[in-house]
Structure formats: C-alpha cells, structure tokens
Amino acid sequence: MDTATAQATPLMTGADYRESLRRYQPRVFVDGRRVDSVADERAFQPGINALALTYDFAHEARYAPIMTALQHTSGKRVNRLTHINTSAGDLLNKLEAVRLICQETGCAQRYLTQDALNAIGQVSARIDDAHGRPAGQGEATGRYLDYLHRVQDQDLTLGVAMTDAKGDRSKRPHQQANRDSYLHIVERNVVQNGQRGIVISGAKAIVTAAPYVHELLVMPGRNMTE
C-alpha cells in the first residue's frame, strides 16, 4: 500500500503538540516551585522545541518519506517515531529520521517512543508464542495493538520510564527496605471504565522528557524474578 492509498491519520503539528500539553495537568516542580503550565515553562523549552520538530517535519513534503511510515497493522500513515519496524528499510529510515532531527536540535528524544513500542511488540509476540497462541492473534498481541493504534491515532509522545532507583544494589527488588526503590504492583484487578487493571507504585529515574510527554511507558530495568 502506498501513500496515495493509505488511510489518512491526522498528525499533529508542533503547535498542536504544545496545545495538547496545555490540556494535561501533570504535577511538576522545577527548582522547588510548582509549574503552572508545562508548555509555557521556560526551563522546558529546549526539549519541547525538539519534540515539536518531530511533528512539524512530518508535514514537510521533503521530509515526509522519512518522517512518516505506513503502519501495516492498521493501514494508516503515522509518524515515523510511533511506527513499528518490519524491514531493514524501516530501520534505516528510522536512523535517518533521528539524524535529521538531531542535526537541528542535538537530541531527537522522541526516538525512544519508537524503541519502546517496538520492544513491547516483540515481547507481546513472545508471550503469545510461549502460550501456544497463533502468531499475531494472541491475547497479548491484541492488547498491545489496541494500545499501539491509540498512540498512533492520537500521535502521542511517550516517555520511557525504565531506570529504577534501585536502593540497596546488593539486594533483589523484593528484598528492599523501601519497596518503592523499584516499581511494583500494589493492587490487581482494579476496575475502571469497565476494564480490569493494576495499580503500581515506585520511583523511576532519568526520564528526561517526563514533564512534557503525553504518557509514560513503564518498562523493567532488569530481569525480574517472580
């Protein structure tokens, strides 16, 4: 399927991205003071400008072949940095997209969104395979695709929360005196909007763009035992 036949997905511009941040109300502090508007906080402007460029370049005809891609599971054209790679060409175009952004900003930041989405996609497929479920049709893959397509349709930027605070590094996560040294599940089967979920607690560190992303995608920072 080529660009002409792909379904249209409304991709945000840099201005749209900034406005979307104004609709969020995260509890963020800088130098001990609470930030009223993340989108308008001077300290965050370099990072916000860098992310805004990933949105604007997707609308420029000369960059669109690199900055957008066709998502094979939905038939929609999406921002390259929310796309799932299926070929060597995809991998090369992702690198070119990051290079393009870095030439202007020094750090693309949003490339981590794509890295994390691709990683979760692979893990979901492995979970289904381990349970003998048909490739691409298992429960884990289905839930993952629902999540992926929502991220792509809303053109979100995800922050990747992976590095735990770790606490006493000689001990396993479940042995920590302060359990919040590692992110952990504190409650299961919580029902919200008709769906079951979990409640998590704990600290993640070194999530540079955390104040000005739409959501956090939480991943383990080490191999976890049961």
Side-chain angles (χ1 to χ4, degrees):
M1 186 181 296
D2 59 22
T3 307
T5 57
Q7 297 181 36
T9 298
L11 298 177
M12 284 200 286
T13 64
D16 294 332
Y17 158 66
R18 287 187 174 86
E19 191 58 36
S20 73
L21 294 181
R22 294 187 178 97
R23 295 194 295 270
Y24 282 67
Q25 295 182 333
R27 191 165 179 261
V28 177
F29 291 82
V30 173
D31 294 331
R33 61 179 174 81
R34 185 164 182 175
V35 173
D36 293 326
S37 171
V38 166
D40 302 300
E41 169 58 42
R42 182 177 180 181
F44 298 149
Q45 291 313 302
I48 290 174
N49 290 341
L51 286 177
L53 205 62
T54 70
Y55 288 95
D56 284 336
F57 274 9
H59 289 273
E60 292 197 25
R62 57 179 171 161
Y63 298 143
I66 293 175
M67 290 302 302
T68 67
L70 183 66
Q71 178 57 42
H72 70 285
T73 55
S74 67
K76 296 179 180 179
R77 188 153 293 276
V78 301
N79 192 291
R80 172 71 62 184
L81 300 183
T82 65
H83 178 246
I84 302 305
N85 301 311
T86 60
S87 67
D90 279 339
L91 293 171
L92 289 171
N93 281 331
K94 184 272 181 88
L95 289 175
E96 287 302 317
V98 172
R99 190 199 308 267
L100 176 65
I101 297 298
C102 287
Q103 286 173 344
E104 297 290 330
T105 69
C107 182
Q109 295 194 52
R110 200 181 181 194
Y111 74 90
L112 292 169
T113 296
Q114 202 218 39
D115 288 348
L117 288 172
N118 277 266
I120 297 297
Q122 291 190 34
V123 170
S124 299
R126 291 183 180 184
I127 291 173
D128 284 333
D129 182 65
H131 286 82
R133 300 164 184 159
Q137 301 177 36
E139 177 186 0
T141 298
R143 292 169 63 184
Y144 163 72
L145 288 177
D146 287 343
Y147 171 68
L148 171 70
H149 294 158
R150 180 179 64 81
V151 169
Q152 292 175 334
D153 288 347
Q154 297 179 23
D155 205 9
L156 302 181
T157 292
L158 306 179
V160 181
M162 184 164 66
T163 304
D164 295 284
K166 294 184 174 65
D168 184 342
R169 298 190 181 212
S170 70
K171 297 180 179 180
R172 297 293 303 180
H174 70 279
Q175 298 172 327
Q176 298 293 327
N178 181 356
R179 291 195 66 202
D180 283 344
S181 297
Y182 283 85
L183 206 68
H184 59 283
I185 298 173
V186 296
E187 193 172 355
R188 297 178 183 272
N189 295 319
V190 178
V191 178
Q192 183 174 348
N193 298 325
Q195 295 185 328
R196 290 184 298 118
I198 61 174
V199 175
I200 59 178
S201 179
K204 289 287 188 179
I206 323 175
V207 191
T208 303
Y212 46 88
V213 296
H214 299 107
E215 297 180 3
L216 296 176
L217 199 165
V218 180
M219 303 175 71
R222 64 185 292 184
N223 290 331
M224 298 294 183
T225 62
E226 185 175 356

